[in-house]
Amino acid sequence: MRRILTYENELDYDSIYDWLRGKMRFPRSIVAALRSGEQDYRVNGKKPVLWQPLPAGSRIQIILEDRKSSPFAPVNLPLNIIYEDEDILLIDKPAGMPSHPSMNHQKDTLANAVLYYYQKQGIPFVFRIANRLDMDTSGLVAVSKNSLAAARVKQMIDKRQIHREYLCIVEGSFSADSSLAKRDFVKMRYDADGQMIGGRIWAPISRREGSVLERRVNASDGQTALTDFEIVQEGAKYSLLRVWLGTGRTHQIRVHMNYLGHPLPADYLYHPVYQDISRQPLHSAKLRFPHPVSGRQMCFESRLPADMRHLLDNFHS
């Protein structure tokens, strides 16, 4: 993948480096790559050292190029692309597809599908996923198409500028659960009529001892984890929640809902009850963030998938 960014500076700068870091706020990793020659640049068609002064009216080109693809097998798999430009790719991932290759999933992942998509176009591609989803979680995934976009997305994640909204179905009714108000690390929200409408969970999460995958709420040495949720639809058997993440801990929604006593059904790690659905009903429904290069606000949404709609329609009451 090759990306050329062209600029013209309006003011004099003491050095190209000052313009890159001060005016344009290029991440350190990108400036280091330009300095080492890993990535390229030109100023008025030439390549001066980064410490050379930059006169007003100069034409600057930043040339970012991946010469080799990620070392994964390109595989022709269904790929639902909902948006693409020179810097980012937005995909609606189906449930059952891992995001990234692993020992047991080497040719059935989102990465395999994306590499095939670009191989068909004759374009080397490095797979840089922004919001990795669990295999059984469906919905929106963002992929950075070049090193600058990836570095800025990482900065946005660190600064919590990427807003993620999920829809999930959990077991039971919240209004009928009197224990929720007594739980540590939980604060429920109510409307003016005293009706429960949602809540906040800030229970710390750590890896469960003896397990590579499983997490648990652990007040003594867990990492801070913040989840806000709204009750969208409530029934005696299942309830639909809209969930926002304040942090991005592994399995955060699944662990926090299990802690509440309202686990996601068909969750193979935390609640393997497959009576009504074959996978955990968790969906990445909305992503909102500033574009990593242009800065304009981007917002993408994905509808509730068919299996989750079926669960609500047929087993809600």
Side-chain angles (χ1 to χ4, degrees):
M1 182 66 66
R2 181 180 172 92
R3 175 72 159 110
I4 300 177
L5 299 152
T6 303
Y7 307 94
E8 186 172 311
N9 62 310
E10 297 178 353
L11 302 173
D12 292 331
Y13 286 86
D14 290 340
S15 69
I16 301 166
Y17 178 90
D18 289 340
W19 176 83
L20 286 167
R21 290 289 292 150
K23 169 66 176 176
M24 302 306 296
R25 298 187 182 278
F26 271 66
R28 290 184 184 276
S29 60
I30 301 300
V31 176
L34 293 172
R35 185 180 179 187
S36 68
E38 180 184 343
Q39 301 294 343
D40 206 358
Y41 65 94
R42 293 290 185 273
V43 177
N44 299 323
K46 299 179 181 179
K47 188 175 180 179
V49 296
L50 291 182
W51 312 116
Q52 182 171 309
L54 184 66
S58 296
R59 185 173 184 268
I60 307 107
Q61 287 186 310
I62 307 298
I63 305 159
L64 306 173
E65 185 170 13
D66 295 321
R67 297 174 179 84
K68 294 183 179 180
S69 297
S70 295
F72 313 133
V75 182
N76 186 6
L77 300 170
L79 192 61
N80 184 10
I81 295 173
I82 62 171
Y83 176 83
E84 182 178 11
D85 63 23
E86 291 183 290
D87 302 295
I88 57 173
L89 178 71
L90 266 292
I91 300 163
D92 202 340
K93 184 185 85 68
M97 174 182 272
S99 295
H100 203 273
S102 63
M103 182 180 297
N104 296 322
H105 296 277
Q106 297 186 18
K107 295 185 177 181
D108 59 350
T109 74
L110 187 65
N112 299 121
V114 171
L115 261 66
Y116 180 84
Y117 171 70
Y118 287 110
Q119 184 192 63
K120 284 196 306 180
Q121 302 173 56
I123 300 172
F125 191 81
V126 175
F127 185 71
R128 303 176 177 98
I129 193 166
N131 60 313
R132 181 171 174 170
L133 299 181
D134 296 331
M135 181 174 73
D136 287 337
T137 300
S138 55
L140 297 173
V141 173
V143 176
S144 301
K145 292 179 62 176
N146 55 66
S147 55
L148 175 61
R152 285 192 169 152
V153 164
K154 183 180 184 305
Q155 289 178 335
M156 288 190 285
I157 291 172
D158 293 341
K159 295 177 181 178
R160 299 183 183 178
Q161 294 174 332
I162 296 181
H163 302 281
R164 297 163 289 177
E165 182 177 302
Y166 291 80
L167 291 170
C168 71
I169 298 173
V170 299
E171 290 191 351
S173 167
F174 283 75
S175 299
D177 188 349
S178 60
S179 70
L180 290 172
K182 304 174 185 177
R183 285 189 175 274
D184 294 334
F185 311 114
V186 177
K187 182 176 178 61
M188 302 306 297
R189 295 192 179 102
Y190 303 84
D191 63 16
D193 298 321
Q195 181 71 31
M196 188 181 292
I197 57 173
R200 167 169 285 189
I201 311 164
W202 61 93
I205 292 175
S206 70
R207 190 189 304 271
R208 184 175 292 278
E209 188 176 351
S211 174
V212 176
L213 294 177
E214 196 173 351
R215 266 62 176 175
R216 62 170 181 159
V217 168
N218 185 347
S220 62
D221 62 358
Q223 292 179 299
T224 301
L226 177 64
T227 304
D228 286 291
F229 67 93
E230 171 187 279
I231 302 169
V232 178
Q233 186 176 331
E234 191 171 25
K237 190 169 186 181
Y238 295 116
S239 295
L240 176 65
L241 307 181
R242 182 174 289 113
V243 182
W244 297 271
L245 295 178
T247 53
R249 305 304 176 201
T250 300
H251 304 165
Q252 181 172 317
I253 294 173
R254 297 156 62 189
V255 171
H256 273 175
M257 292 305 152
N258 195 47
Y259 171 74
L260 281 187
H262 293 271
L264 280 67
D267 184 332
Y268 75 98
L269 271 179
Y270 304 106
H271 192 63
V273 177
Y274 298 94
Q275 180 180 350
D276 299 325
I277 192 171
S278 61
R279 60 101 176 186
Q280 63 202 25
L282 179 59
H283 183 66
S284 174
K286 188 174 183 178
L287 281 177
R288 179 169 55 86
F289 55 91
H291 190 280
V293 175
S294 72
R296 67 188 176 94
Q297 283 295 322
M298 312 287 287
C299 187
F300 303 93
E301 297 188 48
S302 171
R303 293 181 58 192
L304 199 68
D307 61 344
M308 291 179 66
R309 293 198 305 270
H310 178 78
L311 185 64
L312 288 175
D313 293 342
N314 293 275
F315 303 100
H316 178 247
S317 60

